[in-house]
Amino acid sequence: MSLAAKEHFREEWFDPEFWGEQAVLITQGGRGAAWFIHAPCGELVLRHFCRGGLPGRFIRRGYVFTREEAVRSVAEFRLLNHLFKQGLPVPEPLAAGYRLRGPLLYTASLIVRRIPDAKPIAECVGTSSSGEIWRAAGSCVRNFHNAGVYHADLNCMNILVADQVYLIDFDRGRIMPEHAGERWKKGNIRRLERSVKKCLGQLDSNVRDQFWQEFMTGYRRA
């Protein structure tokens, strides 16, 4: 089954082997299950949903099927579509698919449009504009929080910098109810801070802390 924003999408598009040399495995970040695709309609990103941690050692791609609305690729597609239409900086979602594997399990895939010239914010640490970029990232995250958007895996690899700052990978993300309070936002920020310390671990701690303070300045001012 597939859910697509463009009618000409076909089920074969979710298989990287279909693309041959036009599919390039993304080796940076993630779990080795995403590809850059050079397609007739432009540059795309194909992602297969995979488990991490201990469960991933036993069932890498299988998830328990309950209903279509709970399929992870379908849920992310619909959330991204909502955010994209709201004008928030996310990749344009193009297609979501899943395939049942017996009566209990399914595998899932998602295709989004690739953000041109994007790079993870962890790479934005060695230029004169680095501080400005990190402040812009803080403002970006705050705008998502102000819109009630919970990102389940906010880390340095899921904040991309191009013509502006984008957030990607909204697997298990959701819109929080108005009465949810502030705790979830603080949890997002703590998770990101841990990622910054890990991804920028090669930097002097004072330099790393300065980038984090720039981020928090942008977050508080937004």
Side-chain angles (χ1 to χ4, degrees):
M1 180 274 174
S2 64
L3 177 69
K6 307 293 183 182
E7 292 183 358
H8 65 265
F9 271 85
R10 294 153 44 192
E11 184 177 354
E12 292 87 354
W13 285 40
F14 296 110
D15 182 359
E17 294 186 2
F18 168 80
W19 297 101
E21 294 182 355
Q22 303 303 314
V24 178
L25 182 67
I26 301 173
T27 58
Q28 186 177 35
R31 297 168 186 152
W35 296 261
F36 291 132
I37 304 293
H38 180 65
C41 63
E43 300 299 315
L44 312 177
V45 178
L46 164 65
R47 188 172 97 244
H48 287 174
F49 285 65
C50 295
R51 294 179 180 275
L54 184 61
R57 298 180 182 180
F58 301 96
I59 306 178
R60 180 163 171 76
R61 291 200 61 201
Y63 297 90
V64 176
F65 182 83
T66 56
R67 63 189 190 283
E68 182 175 300
E69 291 77 10
V71 169
R72 292 170 77 146
S73 57
V74 172
E76 183 171 352
F77 177 94
R78 289 173 172 162
L79 176 60
L80 280 175
N81 195 46
H82 170 76
L83 300 179
F84 187 79
K85 289 181 177 179
Q86 294 296 313
L88 288 167
V90 298
E92 180 185 3
L94 297 178
Y98 70 92
R99 175 172 292 180
L100 295 176
R101 301 292 186 183
L104 297 178
L105 299 179
Y106 72 89
T107 56
S109 305
L110 182 72
I111 297 175
V112 302
R113 194 171 300 282
R114 184 178 180 182
I115 301 169
D117 302 318
K119 60 182 179 181
I121 194 171
E123 297 181 10
C124 300
V125 294
T127 67
S128 59
S129 61
S130 295
E132 180 181 349
I133 291 172
W134 281 79
R135 287 193 299 275
S139 296
C140 175
V141 171
R142 182 58 178 266
N143 289 337
F144 277 87
H145 282 179
N146 289 346
V149 182
Y150 171 73
H151 193 298
D153 189 19
L154 189 62
N155 62 58
C156 289
M157 303 307 298
N158 289 334
I159 301 177
L160 299 186
V161 179
D163 58 316
Q164 60 178 317
V165 179
Y166 294 82
L167 297 191
I168 65 169
D169 193 355
F170 280 83
D171 181 28
R172 297 179 292 114
R174 60 187 183 274
I175 303 296
M176 301 296 289
E178 293 184 3
H179 58 77
E182 301 290 316
R183 185 175 179 180
W184 64 273
K185 299 178 184 179
K186 295 177 181 178
N188 258 188
I189 296 300
R190 287 195 298 269
R191 184 183 187 92
L192 178 59
E193 185 177 14
R194 292 193 296 269
S195 176
V196 169
K197 291 179 179 178
K198 178 180 179 180
C199 292
L200 303 187
Q202 79 281 5
L203 298 179
D204 179 89
S205 60
N206 291 329
V207 176
R208 183 177 64 240
D209 291 345
Q210 182 60 42
F211 285 123
W212 180 247
Q213 290 307 315
E214 295 284 8
F215 175 90
M216 290 306 300
T217 295
Y219 183 85
R220 296 187 182 106
R221 289 180 178 175

